[in-house]
Amino acid sequence: MARAFLVVMDSVGIGGAPDAGRFFNGAVPDTGANTLGHIAQACAGGRAEAGRSGPLRVPNLAALGLGKAVRLASKLDIGLTGPVTGRWGAATEQSPGKDTPSGHWELAGLVVPWDWTYFPDTVPAFPEDLARRAAEAAGSEGILGNCHASGTEIIARLGAEHMRSGWPICYTSADSVFQIAAHEQSFGLDRLYAMCEALAPHLHAMKVGRVIARPFTGSPEAGFTRTTNRHDYAIRPPAPVLTNWVQDAGRRVHAVGKIGDIFSMEGIDTLSKGGDAELMDHLARLVDEAEEGSLTFANFVEFDSLYGHRRDVSGYARALEWFDARIGALVERLRPGDLMVLTADHGNDPSWTGSDHTRERVPVLCAGVGAGSVGQVGFTDVAASIAAHLGVAERGPGRSFL
């Protein structure tokens, strides 16, 4: 019986979104943003030399058709050559957001049926009643932050005051999120999670996509570091998605990374978490051990969280090259009848202005189903194709490209 592996390279966009002009970083529209294309150009031009050198080296992704997918999406040649042994295409999103839930839900067959709520880039960013609710949920007299911020910057700026006062650090971004940073020891990890759980129903009713616990450790003297104990409290999908379709057919569904958070564990049997290196080990184990007929759904977040938002071109290139080497070894270990689909949920061009995601098409690279183009497809077609491969009933608007 066939197995399927859906692997999301978080934020690895390839440009060309037809509606990019409707999405912004500050006052600048996303028109022309191209995460992979601009990284490749920077590497070729000697502008991404920190910790690596020379042209972007991703031979395994190139063999699956990555270079052809970029040309299809955005007419840009990034110099990836050689024979192509996979099936490839470019996917376009319909949902009215360039955020994590929108991209993942649509890849799983559900177009987001509403507009998300975003907080204004003002100080304060949150309505007074929400700030009061947050303080009450924390058992504190108030909150710190109450603004748009980088997660690493705000704990560096407010971490010491947080430890002195016991007030949680609450902040947001250009995404539809309410983020809470707190020290694992002085504030308490369980207390942070309980605060998020208490606030999530109110924020979800406001159509804020996620409440995110952002724990950190350290001291004012040594500095502060975020830990891997992040937890997202996301709105539940309002209709069945790919994970439900597979589970309802009596098959097993394994989540790797933040997939469990994004889908609120809907249709998921097992969850493996950690940093990207640990997640790759979990994915490798599942390639070897996952049951016949199962779906493994994985997200590798560090392209986005460590390099895209921080506009670190060299770091993003290093991450792509690391991922390419590791994923190539897993493609070689697929069983006859397996399908692995590599794709992304949005862009986050590290050469772009601002620090927000960028609206882009994404690659669709398929291993295990022959070679050739699948053309321009929709995000929902990814779910339909995986359902068709597994032989389970598809209940979304997509059409299989296999």
Side-chain angles (χ1 to χ4, degrees), residues 319-378:
L320 285 166
E321 291 170 341
W322 169 84
F323 179 88
D324 181 83
R326 292 295 306 272
I327 206 69
L330 299 193
V331 168
E332 292 297 319
R333 283 154 56 180
L334 294 175
R335 301 173 189 169
D338 285 349
L339 166 67
M340 180 177 283
V341 179
L342 303 173
T343 187
D345 53 342
H346 49 70
N348 199 347
D349 188 340
S351 73
W352 210 245
T353 186
S355 61
D356 187 16
H357 297 150
T358 42
R359 181 73 161 189
E360 302 178 40
R361 288 184 168 123
V362 300
V364 177
L365 311 177
C366 305
V369 287
S373 173
V374 304
Q376 295 275 11
V377 300

Short mmCIF file of all heavy atoms in Angstrom, two decimals, residues 319-378:
data_model
loop_
_atom_site.label_atom_id
_atom_site.label_comp_id
_atom_site.label_asym_id
_atom_site.label_seq_id
_atom_site.Cartn_x
_atom_site.Cartn_y
_atom_site.Cartn_z
N ALA A 319 21.06 27.02 5.29
CA ALA A 319 19.98 26.13 5.67
C ALA A 319 19.47 25.34 4.47
O ALA A 319 19.18 24.14 4.58
CB ALA A 319 18.84 26.93 6.31
N LEU A 320 19.37 25.99 3.32
CA LEU A 320 18.94 25.29 2.11
C LEU A 320 19.93 24.19 1.73
O LEU A 320 19.52 23.08 1.35
CB LEU A 320 18.78 26.28 0.96
CG LEU A 320 17.55 27.19 1.01
CD1 LEU A 320 17.70 28.33 0.01
CD2 LEU A 320 16.28 26.39 0.71
N GLU A 321 21.21 24.48 1.82
CA GLU A 321 22.22 23.50 1.45
C GLU A 321 22.24 22.32 2.44
O GLU A 321 22.41 21.16 2.03
CB GLU A 321 23.58 24.18 1.33
CG GLU A 321 23.62 25.11 0.13
CD GLU A 321 24.84 26.01 0.07
OE1 GLU A 321 25.51 26.20 1.12
OE2 GLU A 321 25.14 26.53 -1.03
N TRP A 322 22.06 22.62 3.72
CA TRP A 322 21.96 21.54 4.72
C TRP A 322 20.74 20.67 4.44
O TRP A 322 20.83 19.44 4.43
CB TRP A 322 21.86 22.15 6.12
CG TRP A 322 21.48 21.14 7.16
CD1 TRP A 322 22.32 20.30 7.82
CD2 TRP A 322 20.16 20.86 7.65
NE1 TRP A 322 21.61 19.50 8.69
CE2 TRP A 322 20.27 19.83 8.61
CE3 TRP A 322 18.89 21.39 7.38
CZ2 TRP A 322 19.17 19.31 9.29
CZ3 TRP A 322 17.79 20.87 8.05
CH2 TRP A 322 17.93 19.85 8.99
N PHE A 323 19.59 21.31 4.20
CA PHE A 323 18.36 20.58 3.95
C PHE A 323 18.50 19.72 2.70
O PHE A 323 18.07 18.55 2.69
CB PHE A 323 17.20 21.57 3.78
CG PHE A 323 15.88 20.92 3.50
CD1 PHE A 323 15.05 20.53 4.53
CD2 PHE A 323 15.45 20.72 2.19
CE1 PHE A 323 13.82 19.93 4.28
CE2 PHE A 323 14.23 20.12 1.92
CZ PHE A 323 13.41 19.73 2.97
N ASP A 324 19.09 20.26 1.66
CA ASP A 324 19.25 19.53 0.41
C ASP A 324 20.03 18.23 0.62
O ASP A 324 19.64 17.17 0.12
CB ASP A 324 19.96 20.40 -0.62
CG ASP A 324 20.13 19.70 -1.95
OD1 ASP A 324 19.18 19.73 -2.75
OD2 ASP A 324 21.21 19.12 -2.18
N ALA A 325 21.13 18.30 1.35
CA ALA A 325 21.94 17.11 1.58
C ALA A 325 21.16 16.06 2.36
O ALA A 325 21.21 14.86 2.03
CB ALA A 325 23.22 17.49 2.32
N ARG A 326 20.43 16.49 3.39
CA ARG A 326 19.70 15.54 4.22
C ARG A 326 18.50 14.95 3.48
O ARG A 326 18.23 13.75 3.57
CB ARG A 326 19.24 16.21 5.52
CG ARG A 326 20.34 16.59 6.49
CD ARG A 326 21.08 15.39 7.05
NE ARG A 326 20.22 14.39 7.67
CZ ARG A 326 19.84 14.40 8.95
NH1 ARG A 326 20.27 15.36 9.76
NH2 ARG A 326 19.06 13.44 9.42
N ILE A 327 17.76 15.79 2.74
CA ILE A 327 16.56 15.28 2.08
C ILE A 327 16.94 14.35 0.93
O ILE A 327 16.21 13.39 0.62
CB ILE A 327 15.64 16.42 1.62
CG1 ILE A 327 14.18 15.94 1.54
CG2 ILE A 327 16.07 16.99 0.28
CD1 ILE A 327 13.54 15.64 2.87
N GLY A 328 18.07 14.62 0.29
CA GLY A 328 18.51 13.75 -0.79
C GLY A 328 18.72 12.33 -0.32
O GLY A 328 18.36 11.35 -1.01
N ALA A 329 19.28 12.16 0.88
CA ALA A 329 19.48 10.82 1.43
C ALA A 329 18.15 10.14 1.72
O ALA A 329 18.03 8.91 1.55
CB ALA A 329 20.32 10.91 2.71
N LEU A 330 17.13 10.90 2.12
CA LEU A 330 15.82 10.30 2.41
C LEU A 330 15.09 9.92 1.13
O LEU A 330 14.40 8.90 1.10
CB LEU A 330 14.97 11.27 3.24
CG LEU A 330 15.54 11.66 4.60
CD1 LEU A 330 14.47 12.34 5.43
CD2 LEU A 330 16.09 10.46 5.34
N VAL A 331 15.23 10.73 0.09
CA VAL A 331 14.61 10.36 -1.19
C VAL A 331 15.14 9.01 -1.66
O VAL A 331 14.38 8.18 -2.18
CB VAL A 331 14.86 11.47 -2.24
CG1 VAL A 331 14.49 10.98 -3.64
CG2 VAL A 331 14.08 12.73 -1.88
N GLU A 332 16.42 8.77 -1.45
CA GLU A 332 17.01 7.50 -1.86
C GLU A 332 16.43 6.32 -1.07
O GLU A 332 16.48 5.18 -1.54
CB GLU A 332 18.52 7.54 -1.66
CG GLU A 332 19.25 8.50 -2.59
CD GLU A 332 19.10 8.10 -4.05
OE1 GLU A 332 19.17 6.88 -4.33
OE2 GLU A 332 18.89 8.99 -4.89
N ARG A 333 15.90 6.58 0.12
CA ARG A 333 15.39 5.51 0.98
C ARG A 333 13.88 5.29 0.84
O ARG A 333 13.31 4.42 1.53
CB ARG A 333 15.73 5.81 2.45
CG ARG A 333 17.18 5.51 2.75
CD ARG A 333 17.74 6.31 3.89
NE ARG A 333 17.01 6.20 5.15
CZ ARG A 333 17.40 6.85 6.26
NH1 ARG A 333 18.49 7.62 6.22
NH2 ARG A 333 16.73 6.74 7.37
N LEU A 334 13.21 6.04 -0.02
CA LEU A 334 11.78 5.82 -0.23
C LEU A 334 11.54 4.41 -0.78
O LEU A 334 12.33 3.89 -1.56
CB LEU A 334 11.21 6.85 -1.19
CG LEU A 334 11.19 8.31 -0.71
CD1 LEU A 334 10.72 9.22 -1.82
CD2 LEU A 334 10.32 8.47 0.54
N ARG A 335 10.42 3.82 -0.38
CA ARG A 335 10.05 2.50 -0.87
C ARG A 335 9.34 2.62 -2.22
O ARG A 335 8.76 3.67 -2.53
CB ARG A 335 9.12 1.81 0.12
CG ARG A 335 9.67 1.61 1.50
CD ARG A 335 8.57 1.07 2.42
NE ARG A 335 8.98 1.06 3.82
CZ ARG A 335 8.15 0.84 4.83
NH1 ARG A 335 6.85 0.64 4.59
NH2 ARG A 335 8.60 0.84 6.08
N PRO A 336 9.34 1.56 -3.02
CA PRO A 336 8.52 1.57 -4.23
C PRO A 336 7.05 1.86 -3.86
O PRO A 336 6.51 1.29 -2.91
CB PRO A 336 8.68 0.15 -4.77
CG PRO A 336 10.00 -0.30 -4.25
CD PRO A 336 10.12 0.32 -2.89
N GLY A 337 6.45 2.78 -4.58
CA GLY A 337 5.07 3.17 -4.30
C GLY A 337 4.93 4.38 -3.40
O GLY A 337 3.85 4.94 -3.27
N ASP A 338 6.03 4.82 -2.76
CA ASP A 338 5.98 6.02 -1.92
C ASP A 338 5.93 7.29 -2.76
O ASP A 338 6.47 7.33 -3.88
CB ASP A 338 7.22 6.10 -1.02
CG ASP A 338 7.19 5.14 0.15
OD1 ASP A 338 6.13 4.55 0.41
OD2 ASP A 338 8.25 5.00 0.81
N LEU A 339 5.33 8.32 -2.20
CA LEU A 339 5.34 9.67 -2.77
C LEU A 339 5.88 10.63 -1.72
O LEU A 339 5.41 10.62 -0.57
CB LEU A 339 3.93 10.10 -3.17
CG LEU A 339 3.71 11.59 -3.47
CD1 LEU A 339 4.46 12.01 -4.72
CD2 LEU A 339 2.21 11.90 -3.60
N MET A 340 6.85 11.45 -2.10
CA MET A 340 7.28 12.56 -1.26
C MET A 340 7.06 13.86 -2.02
O MET A 340 7.54 13.99 -3.15
CB MET A 340 8.74 12.45 -0.84
CG MET A 340 9.22 13.61 0.04
SD MET A 340 10.93 13.46 0.63
CE MET A 340 10.71 12.25 1.95
N VAL A 341 6.32 14.78 -1.42
CA VAL A 341 6.07 16.10 -2.01
C VAL A 341 6.76 17.15 -1.15
O VAL A 341 6.52 17.24 0.05
CB VAL A 341 4.56 16.41 -2.10
CG1 VAL A 341 4.35 17.81 -2.70
CG2 VAL A 341 3.83 15.36 -2.92
N LEU A 342 7.65 17.92 -1.78
CA LEU A 342 8.32 19.04 -1.12
C LEU A 342 7.70 20.33 -1.61
O LEU A 342 7.60 20.56 -2.82
CB LEU A 342 9.81 19.03 -1.43
CG LEU A 342 10.58 17.75 -1.08
CD1 LEU A 342 12.00 17.81 -1.62
CD2 LEU A 342 10.60 17.53 0.41
N THR A 343 7.28 21.19 -0.69
CA THR A 343 6.63 22.43 -1.07
C THR A 343 6.89 23.47 0.01
O THR A 343 7.75 23.31 0.86
CB THR A 343 5.12 22.19 -1.32
OG1 THR A 343 4.53 23.37 -1.85
CG2 THR A 343 4.39 21.77 -0.06
N ALA A 344 6.16 24.58 -0.03
CA ALA A 344 6.29 25.66 0.96
C ALA A 344 4.92 26.26 1.21
O ALA A 344 3.96 25.99 0.48
CB ALA A 344 7.28 26.71 0.48
N ASP A 345 4.84 27.09 2.24
CA ASP A 345 3.56 27.67 2.65
C ASP A 345 3.41 29.14 2.27
O ASP A 345 2.30 29.68 2.27
CB ASP A 345 3.33 27.49 4.15
CG ASP A 345 4.50 28.01 5.00
OD1 ASP A 345 5.61 28.19 4.46
OD2 ASP A 345 4.30 28.20 6.21
N HIS A 346 4.52 29.82 1.98
CA HIS A 346 4.54 31.25 1.61
C HIS A 346 6.00 31.58 1.33
O HIS A 346 6.86 30.69 1.34
CB HIS A 346 3.98 32.14 2.72
CG HIS A 346 4.54 31.86 4.08
ND1 HIS A 346 5.86 32.16 4.42
CD2 HIS A 346 4.00 31.30 5.19
CE1 HIS A 346 6.09 31.80 5.67
NE2 HIS A 346 4.98 31.27 6.16
N GLY A 347 6.31 32.83 1.08
CA GLY A 347 7.70 33.26 0.96
C GLY A 347 8.15 34.05 2.17
O GLY A 347 7.33 34.44 3.02
N ASN A 348 9.45 34.27 2.27
CA ASN A 348 10.01 35.19 3.26
C ASN A 348 11.38 35.62 2.73
O ASN A 348 12.42 35.20 3.23
CB ASN A 348 10.13 34.54 4.64
CG ASN A 348 10.26 35.57 5.76
OD1 ASN A 348 10.50 36.75 5.49
ND2 ASN A 348 10.10 35.14 6.99
N ASP A 349 11.34 36.46 1.71
CA ASP A 349 12.53 36.84 0.96
C ASP A 349 13.52 37.59 1.87
O ASP A 349 13.23 38.71 2.31
CB ASP A 349 12.11 37.73 -0.21
CG ASP A 349 13.23 38.05 -1.18
OD1 ASP A 349 14.42 37.93 -0.79
OD2 ASP A 349 12.93 38.42 -2.32
N PRO A 350 14.69 37.00 2.17
CA PRO A 350 15.62 37.65 3.09
C PRO A 350 16.32 38.86 2.50
O PRO A 350 17.01 39.59 3.22
CB PRO A 350 16.62 36.54 3.43
CG PRO A 350 16.63 35.68 2.21
CD PRO A 350 15.20 35.69 1.71
N SER A 351 16.13 39.08 1.20
CA SER A 351 16.71 40.28 0.58
C SER A 351 15.70 41.43 0.53
O SER A 351 16.04 42.52 0.07
CB SER A 351 17.18 39.96 -0.85
OG SER A 351 16.06 39.80 -1.73
N TRP A 352 14.49 41.19 0.99
CA TRP A 352 13.40 42.17 0.85
C TRP A 352 13.42 43.17 1.99
O TRP A 352 14.04 42.95 3.03
CB TRP A 352 12.07 41.43 0.82
CG TRP A 352 10.98 42.10 0.03
CD1 TRP A 352 9.81 42.61 0.49
CD2 TRP A 352 10.97 42.31 -1.39
NE1 TRP A 352 9.08 43.14 -0.54
CE2 TRP A 352 9.76 42.97 -1.71
CE3 TRP A 352 11.87 42.03 -2.41
CZ2 TRP A 352 9.42 43.33 -3.00
CZ3 TRP A 352 11.54 42.39 -3.70
CH2 TRP A 352 10.33 43.03 -3.99
N THR A 353 12.74 44.27 1.81
CA THR A 353 12.57 45.24 2.88
C THR A 353 11.68 44.67 3.97
O THR A 353 10.91 43.75 3.74
CB THR A 353 11.97 46.54 2.33
OG1 THR A 353 11.95 47.53 3.35
CG2 THR A 353 10.56 46.34 1.82
N GLY A 354 11.78 45.21 5.17
CA GLY A 354 10.92 44.79 6.26
C GLY A 354 11.34 43.46 6.84
O GLY A 354 12.46 42.98 6.63
N SER A 355 10.43 42.82 7.58
CA SER A 355 10.73 41.54 8.20
C SER A 355 9.56 40.57 8.13
O SER A 355 9.55 39.55 8.81
CB SER A 355 11.11 41.75 9.68
OG SER A 355 10.03 42.35 10.39
N ASP A 356 8.59 40.87 7.28
CA ASP A 356 7.39 40.05 7.18
C ASP A 356 7.56 39.00 6.08
O ASP A 356 8.47 39.07 5.24
CB ASP A 356 6.19 40.96 6.87
CG ASP A 356 4.86 40.23 6.91
OD1 ASP A 356 4.80 39.11 7.45
OD2 ASP A 356 3.87 40.78 6.38
N HIS A 357 6.64 38.02 6.06
CA HIS A 357 6.55 37.09 4.95
C HIS A 357 6.32 37.86 3.64
O HIS A 357 5.91 39.03 3.66
CB HIS A 357 5.36 36.13 5.14
CG HIS A 357 5.49 35.26 6.35
ND1 HIS A 357 4.41 34.80 7.05
CD2 HIS A 357 6.58 34.75 6.98
CE1 HIS A 357 4.81 34.04 8.05
NE2 HIS A 357 6.12 34.00 8.04
N THR A 358 6.57 37.20 2.54
CA THR A 358 6.32 37.77 1.22
C THR A 358 5.37 36.86 0.45
O THR A 358 5.45 35.64 0.55
CB THR A 358 7.64 37.96 0.44
OG1 THR A 358 8.48 36.81 0.60
CG2 THR A 358 8.39 39.18 0.95
N ARG A 359 4.47 37.47 -0.30
CA ARG A 359 3.47 36.72 -1.08
C ARG A 359 4.15 36.18 -2.34
O ARG A 359 4.58 36.95 -3.20
CB ARG A 359 2.31 37.64 -1.44
CG ARG A 359 1.19 36.96 -2.23
CD ARG A 359 0.36 36.03 -1.37
NE ARG A 359 -0.94 35.75 -2.00
CZ ARG A 359 -1.94 35.11 -1.39
NH1 ARG A 359 -1.79 34.67 -0.14
NH2 ARG A 359 -3.09 34.91 -2.00
N GLU A 360 4.23 34.86 -2.44
CA GLU A 360 4.91 34.22 -3.57
C GLU A 360 4.24 32.90 -3.93
O GLU A 360 3.52 32.32 -3.11
CB GLU A 360 6.38 33.93 -3.22
CG GLU A 360 7.20 35.14 -2.82
CD GLU A 360 8.62 34.78 -2.44
OE1 GLU A 360 9.22 33.91 -3.11
OE2 GLU A 360 9.14 35.35 -1.45
N ARG A 361 4.48 32.46 -5.14
CA ARG A 361 4.21 31.07 -5.47
C ARG A 361 5.23 30.19 -4.75
O ARG A 361 6.26 30.66 -4.27
CB ARG A 361 4.30 30.84 -6.98
CG ARG A 361 3.12 31.44 -7.76
CD ARG A 361 3.20 31.10 -9.24
NE ARG A 361 1.96 31.44 -9.91
CZ ARG A 361 1.87 32.25 -10.96
NH1 ARG A 361 2.96 32.81 -11.45
NH2 ARG A 361 0.70 32.50 -11.52
N VAL A 362 4.92 28.88 -4.70
CA VAL A 362 5.82 27.95 -4.00
C VAL A 362 6.12 26.77 -4.92
O VAL A 362 5.33 26.44 -5.81
CB VAL A 362 5.21 27.46 -2.68
CG1 VAL A 362 4.92 28.63 -1.75
CG2 VAL A 362 3.95 26.62 -2.92
N PRO A 363 7.26 26.11 -4.70
CA PRO A 363 7.59 24.95 -5.52
C PRO A 363 6.75 23.73 -5.12
O PRO A 363 6.32 23.60 -3.96
CB PRO A 363 9.07 24.70 -5.20
CG PRO A 363 9.23 25.24 -3.81
CD PRO A 363 8.30 26.41 -3.70
N VAL A 364 6.52 22.87 -6.07
CA VAL A 364 5.93 21.55 -5.82
C VAL A 364 6.86 20.54 -6.48
O VAL A 364 6.95 20.48 -7.71
CB VAL A 364 4.51 21.43 -6.40
CG1 VAL A 364 3.95 20.03 -6.19
CG2 VAL A 364 3.57 22.46 -5.77
N LEU A 365 7.60 19.80 -5.67
CA LEU A 365 8.59 18.85 -6.15
C LEU A 365 8.20 17.46 -5.66
O LEU A 365 8.02 17.25 -4.45
CB LEU A 365 9.98 19.21 -5.62
CG LEU A 365 10.43 20.66 -5.78
CD1 LEU A 365 11.79 20.88 -5.14
CD2 LEU A 365 10.45 21.06 -7.25
N CYS A 366 8.06 16.52 -6.58
CA CYS A 366 7.54 15.19 -6.24
C CYS A 366 8.57 14.12 -6.55
O CYS A 366 9.07 14.04 -7.69
CB CYS A 366 6.27 14.90 -7.04
SG CYS A 366 4.97 16.14 -6.87
N ALA A 367 8.86 13.29 -5.57
CA ALA A 367 9.73 12.13 -5.74
C ALA A 367 8.90 10.86 -5.63
O ALA A 367 7.99 10.77 -4.81
CB ALA A 367 10.82 12.13 -4.67
N GLY A 368 9.22 9.90 -6.49
CA GLY A 368 8.56 8.60 -6.44
C GLY A 368 7.47 8.40 -7.46
O GLY A 368 6.86 7.32 -7.51
N VAL A 369 7.21 9.42 -8.29
CA VAL A 369 6.11 9.31 -9.26
C VAL A 369 6.57 9.70 -10.67
O VAL A 369 5.82 10.27 -11.45
CB VAL A 369 4.89 10.17 -8.84
CG1 VAL A 369 4.16 9.52 -7.67
CG2 VAL A 369 5.30 11.59 -8.49
N GLY A 370 7.84 9.42 -10.98
CA GLY A 370 8.34 9.71 -12.32
C GLY A 370 8.81 11.14 -12.48
O GLY A 370 8.96 11.88 -11.50
N ALA A 371 9.04 11.52 -13.74
CA ALA A 371 9.59 12.84 -14.05
C ALA A 371 8.65 13.61 -14.97
O ALA A 371 7.82 13.04 -15.66
CB ALA A 371 10.95 12.68 -14.73
N GLY A 372 8.81 14.95 -14.95
CA GLY A 372 8.05 15.81 -15.84
C GLY A 372 7.33 16.91 -15.10
O GLY A 372 7.32 16.97 -13.86
N SER A 373 6.72 17.80 -15.84
CA SER A 373 6.06 18.97 -15.28
C SER A 373 4.62 18.66 -14.91
O SER A 373 3.91 17.98 -15.65
CB SER A 373 6.08 20.12 -16.29
OG SER A 373 5.31 21.22 -15.84
N VAL A 374 4.18 19.20 -13.75
CA VAL A 374 2.76 19.18 -13.42
C VAL A 374 2.14 20.55 -13.70
O VAL A 374 0.93 20.72 -13.56
CB VAL A 374 2.53 18.76 -11.95
CG1 VAL A 374 3.15 17.41 -11.67
CG2 VAL A 374 3.06 19.81 -10.96
N GLY A 375 2.97 21.53 -14.07
CA GLY A 375 2.49 22.84 -14.47
C GLY A 375 2.14 23.74 -13.29
O GLY A 375 2.59 23.54 -12.17
N GLN A 376 1.34 24.76 -13.59
CA GLN A 376 0.85 25.68 -12.57
C GLN A 376 -0.34 25.03 -11.87
O GLN A 376 -1.33 24.67 -12.51
CB GLN A 376 0.41 26.99 -13.21
CG GLN A 376 1.54 27.78 -13.86
CD GLN A 376 2.27 28.67 -12.85
OE1 GLN A 376 2.07 28.55 -11.65
NE2 GLN A 376 3.11 29.55 -13.34
N VAL A 377 -0.25 24.87 -10.57
CA VAL A 377 -1.31 24.22 -9.81
C VAL A 377 -1.71 25.12 -8.64
O VAL A 377 -1.09 26.15 -8.39
CB VAL A 377 -0.86 22.84 -9.29
CG1 VAL A 377 -0.48 21.93 -10.47
CG2 VAL A 377 0.31 22.96 -8.32
N GLY A 378 -2.74 24.72 -7.93
CA GLY A 378 -3.16 25.42 -6.73
C GLY A 378 -2.66 24.72 -5.48
O GLY A 378 -2.35 23.53 -5.51
#
